[in-house]
Amino acid sequence: MERQQDYVLRTVEERGVRLVRLWFTDVLGQLKSFAISPAELETAFEEGMHFDGSAIDGFSRVQESDVLARPDPNSFEILPWADDDGTSARMFCDIDNLDGTPFEGDPRGVLRRGLDRAREVGGYSFFVAPEMEFFYFADNDPSRPPEPLDTGSYFDLTTADVAGDMRKRTIAMLESMGIPVEYSFHEDSPSQHEIDLRYTDGLSMADNVMTFRLVVREIAMEQGAYATFMPKPLAGVQGSGMHTHISLFEGDENAFHDPDDPYNLSDTGRAFIAGLLHHAPEITAVTNQLVNSYKRLIVGYEAPVYVSWARNNRSALVRVPVTKAGKASSTRIEYRAPDPACNPYLSFAVILAAGMAGIEKGYELPDESAANVFEMSDKERAAAGLRPLPQSLAEALDAMEGSEMVAEALGDHIFEWFLRNKRSEWADYKAHVSQFELSRYLPNW
């Protein structure tokens, strides 16, 4: 770590960095930042920087408000966009109490704790690769319907595709910040796009997702447009997901790979899937945290609705992609429920905890759902033992509240704050009278 700190201090001096922006997230996954001068950097590494935690959602109470932000030198990057104050850099921070112990309200700390536990229990390293979907609109004025920038569909390439240029510029900026991209393309819905990030360890990827969302918005704003990660901004078309590819490694070996298995899937991989399926309803409030999230998780829009797994079947909640011959490292599973508005630190933490529960408790993997789950009747799904995911934020919160596994993964502080905050959101939603209700009922009732 000291070597990395030295690298940061040297780079800041050599590149003429004027401000170092310290980044962290609140419990909902909103990015927060404050800036320090290079002269404060050594102090920040050695002692951390004080700030008022009571001003951050889900952090401290007023009477115990101060916390410390400790920059992680491994996350240092020069910011590639223009800044009036000169060259800037950023580092993500871990949040500590004043006595130096980890702060329980820090989402990054929650994920770090889960990753440490996986290493202690089985020597596992957790790797993820999310597929990030989002929409471009003309603006973010909520008083009128969103205005897409194009009418393209899946994989469309058009010569007058202004959004395609934004996507290209976004990828160039991400790669200049050390965030490699695997694929990008126009998604199925008008003005919907997807950029897939190349896999890395869970903590780095959660940092990358936070950076990704900022970069996508920055580039859109630069072009006079608006980018949103709202899961379902348009009715009648597909919403945006964050399908997450997952693997565990033991050293250099992929713990999910077994060359003698018909699916190339090891007992560890099967148990991890079984854990995800067993606990899926309990973790859904975290991976899909908005009222709007549940307007994506409905039949007919390629989003998972039922707790099931399959090899190449995109109607399943967990998919096992076919791997390339002789490439053991590519054996992985895809969890298709999360949406891009989630807090990635908390989402990766509960996904890992659910999978690890499957390994530690020896859960058995149910039969594969080879058929299109969407086309099965209720009777057929019941006969196959397929449960639905929660159908609303309220149902998801009920499932989460009864989960010892989620409470342990998040810690009491975030678990209780999250439930309280989201219950309040649901209460506000229930009290709201929508345009749908006015249009449907007012003329006749």
Side-chain angles (χ1 to χ4, degrees):
M1 188 65 82
E2 282 188 10
R3 182 180 295 180
Q4 189 64 18
Q5 290 181 7
D6 290 342
Y7 164 77
V8 172
L9 292 166
R10 193 170 59 249
T11 304
V12 165
E13 184 177 351
E14 290 174 354
R15 299 287 297 274
V17 173
R18 300 287 298 276
L19 285 175
V20 179
R21 300 189 181 278
L22 303 185
W23 288 4
F24 59 97
T25 69
D26 65 14
V27 175
L28 296 180
Q30 296 284 350
L31 189 60
K32 304 292 180 181
S33 170
F34 64 98
I36 62 173
S37 69
E40 296 295 325
L41 200 47
E42 283 193 73
T43 302
F45 282 138
E46 291 170 7
E47 302 173 9
M49 303 299 291
H50 283 94
F51 71 93
D52 178 6
S54 68
I56 307 298
D57 269 350
F59 271 35
S60 320
R61 293 176 294 183
V62 172
Q63 67 270 28
E64 50 191 35
S65 58
D66 279 355
V67 289
L68 291 171
R70 292 188 182 277
D72 180 350
N74 292 311
S75 65
F76 176 83
E77 288 291 341
I78 301 285
L79 293 175
W81 51 80
D83 194 323
D84 292 340
D85 299 317
T87 303
S88 294
R90 71 98 160 101
M91 276 183 286
F92 282 92
C93 295
D94 296 308
I95 309 300
D96 286 349
N97 296 305
L98 295 183
D99 64 4
T101 57
F103 174 56
E104 285 193 343
D106 176 22
R108 197 170 193 261
V110 167
L111 177 56
R112 191 185 283 281
R113 191 172 68 237
L115 296 170
D116 290 344
R117 185 170 184 280
R119 271 190 289 273
E120 289 164 9
V121 169
Y124 298 125
S125 298
F126 177 65
F127 286 83
V128 284
E131 300 174 353
M132 303 297 297
E133 296 176 349
F134 56 95
F135 285 83
Y136 289 124
F137 293 127
D139 57 48
N140 65 342
D141 184 350
S143 67
R144 54 179 184 248
E147 182 185 340
L149 302 187
D150 64 60
T151 56
S153 186
Y154 195 65
F155 270 24
D156 273 356
L157 176 65
T158 60
T159 52
D161 186 358
V162 61
D165 184 54
M166 283 194 284
R167 209 173 65 218
K168 190 167 61 179
R169 288 172 56 76
T170 299
I171 292 168
M173 188 170 284
L174 288 170
E175 298 205 318
S176 75
M177 297 182 73
I179 301 176
V181 168
E182 193 165 16
Y183 291 105
S184 78
F185 49 90
H186 197 292
E187 253 294 350
D188 187 71
S189 303
S191 219
Q192 187 187 29
H193 297 263
E194 176 172 324
I195 297 178
D196 299 349
L197 304 182
R198 184 170 290 279
Y199 79 95
T200 187
D201 67 277
L203 191 66
S204 299
M205 185 55 78
D207 292 344
N208 289 351
V209 169
M210 295 307 303
T211 305
F212 175 89
R213 295 198 297 214
L214 181 67
V215 168
V216 169
R217 289 191 174 112
E218 284 277 347
I219 297 294
M221 191 168 65
E222 186 183 282
Q223 301 296 310
Y226 180 74
T228 181
F229 296 93
M230 181 179 176
K232 186 85 170 185
L234 299 175
V237 297
Q238 289 181 26
S240 290
M242 190 182 84
H243 307 151
T244 300
H245 295 251
I246 302 162
S247 57
L248 292 182
F249 274 71
E250 295 176 277
D252 294 331
E253 300 294 322
N254 185 345
F256 284 0
H257 182 73
D258 180 352
D260 298 324
D261 181 81
Y263 302 170
N264 286 333
L265 197 60
S266 68
D267 289 343
T268 300
R270 288 170 177 275
F272 194 97
I273 296 173
L276 267 178
L277 298 180
H278 185 88
H279 293 288
E282 302 162 30
I283 67 174
T284 302
V286 177
T287 57
N288 303 78
Q289 65 169 338
L290 306 182
V291 165
N292 180 259
S293 298
Y294 297 85
K295 297 184 176 181
R296 166 180 167 256
L297 298 179
I298 56 178
V299 171
Y301 294 100
E302 293 191 10
V305 181
Y306 297 94
V307 179
S308 58
W309 79 279
R311 274 178 292 178
N312 223 9
N313 178 355
R314 283 181 165 76
S315 68
L317 173 63
V318 177
R319 191 173 74 93
V320 181
V322 175
T323 56
K324 294 176 181 174
K327 195 172 180 184
S329 63
S330 67
T331 300
R332 64 197 186 280
I333 64 172
E334 177 189 351
Y335 191 59
R336 295 175 57 79
D339 65 48
C342 69
N343 182 330
Y345 300 100
L346 300 185
S347 294
F348 294 163
V350 294
I351 287 170
L352 175 60
M356 288 301 297
I359 294 171
E360 292 178 76
K361 297 180 181 179
Y363 294 156
E364 285 196 19
L365 186 63
D367 292 339
E368 177 185 3
S369 300
N372 184 338
V373 177
F374 297 149
E375 294 178 350
M376 296 168 71
S377 67
D378 290 343
K379 192 173 178 182
E380 288 171 329
R381 283 192 286 263
L386 302 182
R387 300 173 292 159
L389 284 174
Q391 299 295 291
S392 69
L393 182 60
E395 282 188 24
L397 292 171
D398 288 344
M400 175 182 167
E401 192 162 23
S403 174
E404 291 182 13
M405 187 279 296
V406 176
E408 186 177 342
L410 299 184
D412 291 343
H413 181 113
I414 288 182
F415 183 74
E416 291 169 9
W417 186 93
F418 188 93
L419 284 168
R420 194 163 56 246
N421 179 281
K422 290 296 168 182
R423 291 280 189 208
S424 173
E425 180 178 335
W426 178 253
D428 289 346
Y429 176 68
K430 274 188 71 180
H432 170 70
V433 178
S434 69
Q435 185 60 49
F436 169 85
E437 291 163 286
L438 291 172
S439 301
R440 191 170 184 115
Y441 305 131
L442 191 61
N444 303 309
W445 295 89

